[in-house]
Amino acid sequence: MSADAAHQRTASEEEFRSYYGRRVLKEPVWEWFVPAYLFAGGLSAACAELAAGADLTRRPRLRKAARLGAFGGLGTSMYFLIADLGRPERFHHMLRVAKPSSPMSVGTWILVAYGPGVGVAAVAELLPSRLRRSRAGTLLGALARPAGLASAAVAPGVASYTAVLLSHTAVPAWNEARDRLPFVFTGSAAAAGGGFGMVCVPVDEAEPARRLAAVGAVTELVTSRQLDERLGVVSEAYRTGTAHRLRRWSEYLTAGGALGSLVAGRSRAAAVVSGLALLAGSALQRFGIFEAGVESTKDPKYVVVPQRRRVDRGEQA
């Protein structure tokens, strides 16, 4: 193909519009509950991992804060998920089947496996001192560690399954990013969990939280940038409009929080500010990705152009 023909083809692809300007896809009917659910679930998963590490390394204050964070994040995420269903009383229908080919079904059962351990560990932390000496309290205390470790084993699935869920829809900005979204979500969750630990725990016990925050932030920043650069024409949905503004602020806050986690030293105030920045950056990342998905359904070129390119390469459209 000549250079002029290639240029004309690129131009025609960028100017593509559907028949009579009609949209190819309908916009997602999900509301803001969904990105809030994505953020809270990821935060819960990272806190569960942090709590397990704190338990094994004898950091009681970090363990308690992280266990309660995992429980609170799980409860919040479940509230947002059930609220978005429109008919909350139908949530139990999701437990009637187990379908490995359905990300929603698999995610539901991941939460079922994850939730009890988080709950047991959190209740053990909240138990009053006088009850801990009772037979039931002693049993609960003995179960707290294995319950916390069991939930930590499932936590990576909790942090990443929502990315798989989004990418298995027909929404172009999510579907085209299916190889990268799990890494963005996992890194974002780790940054948020580390930030939560930095906010809630004194600096002398927060070292694991600072390390988790730094690793998560770097992972999120690197993989998130790939959404802007390596998805072809679909990357425009991430680089424009509300999605771009949300994700740009997310990048600023996450980078600033990560830098703060490394240089805060013994400063409690700096640790809290850095942790809050990481939490805010993680939340804005989820809302930005959600907005990019919604916007990508409005322009048919995001659907048709990638399909044409796959056909040209001899792949399935």
Side-chain angles (χ1 to χ4, degrees):
M1 182 183 295
S2 66
D4 290 341
H7 175 75
Q8 291 175 359
R9 178 167 186 173
T10 300
S12 66
E13 288 176 347
E14 296 299 324
E15 297 168 1
F16 173 82
R17 292 295 182 271
S18 64
Y19 189 61
Y20 285 119
R22 294 181 180 272
R23 295 179 182 177
V24 177
L25 298 173
K26 292 182 180 180
E27 293 181 37
V29 297
W30 296 332
E31 300 182 7
W32 66 269
F33 295 115
V34 169
Y37 151 69
L38 302 177
F39 165 71
L43 173 61
S44 174
C47 285
E49 295 280 6
L50 192 60
D55 187 21
L56 294 175
T57 56
R58 294 181 174 83
R59 290 179 168 88
R61 286 176 291 185
L62 179 59
R63 182 197 66 203
K64 180 177 181 178
R67 282 179 173 176
L68 296 181
F71 184 69
L74 176 62
T76 303
S77 69
M78 293 303 295
Y79 167 78
F80 287 132
L81 175 61
I82 294 173
D84 190 72
L85 293 176
R87 295 286 299 275
E89 70 275 11
R90 293 184 176 179
F91 174 73
H92 70 278
H93 292 180
M94 300 169 67
L95 304 177
R96 296 170 61 184
V97 296
K99 190 176 181 181
S101 60
S102 167
M104 177 65 78
S105 179
V106 172
T108 299
W109 286 103
I110 286 176
L111 290 175
V112 169
Y114 172 76
V118 169
V120 169
V123 171
E125 294 291 349
L126 295 173
L127 203 64
S129 299
R130 60 184 179 84
L131 294 180
R132 291 183 183 181
R133 293 187 294 270
S134 67
R135 183 174 300 179
T138 301
L139 176 61
L140 187 62
L143 291 175
R145 172 170 289 187
L149 294 177
S151 63
V154 184
V158 176
S160 59
Y161 93 89
T162 49
V164 179
L165 175 63
L166 292 183
S167 64
H168 275 69
T169 65
V171 176
W174 301 337
N175 186 267
E176 291 294 318
R178 58 189 174 274
D179 295 334
R180 296 176 174 86
L181 274 186
F183 296 98
V184 178
F185 275 38
T186 303
S188 178
F196 181 86
M198 292 166 62
V199 169
C200 298
V201 178
V203 292
D204 59 334
E205 280 200 19
E207 179 63 25
R210 291 194 293 270
R211 293 180 181 178
L212 179 65
V215 172
V218 171
T219 302
E220 178 185 358
L221 291 170
V222 171
T223 55
S224 175
R225 183 55 64 90
Q226 293 177 356
L227 302 181
D228 298 331
E229 301 172 351
R230 300 187 183 181
L231 301 183
V233 67
V234 177
S235 287
E236 292 180 8
Y238 291 99
R239 300 196 307 265
T240 56
T242 302
H244 172 67
R245 290 191 292 273
L246 290 171
R247 295 180 66 249
R248 180 178 60 185
W249 277 106
S250 169
E251 187 173 276
Y252 294 158
L253 290 167
T254 301
L259 181 61
S261 71
L262 296 175
V263 302
R266 306 296 297 177
S267 172
R268 173 70 174 145
V272 171
V273 171
S274 299
L276 291 174
L278 288 164
L279 285 164
S282 178
L284 290 178
Q285 180 72 259
R286 309 306 177 98
F287 277 85
I289 289 174
F290 179 78
E291 288 295 330
V294 172
E295 289 301 314
S296 71
T297 63
K298 298 179 180 180
D299 193 330
K301 73 179 179 183
Y302 295 134
V303 179
V304 178
V305 171
Q307 289 181 345
R308 286 179 173 175
R309 290 177 176 173
R310 285 192 287 270
V311 170
D312 290 343
R313 294 195 298 266
E315 302 173 1
Q316 184 177 2

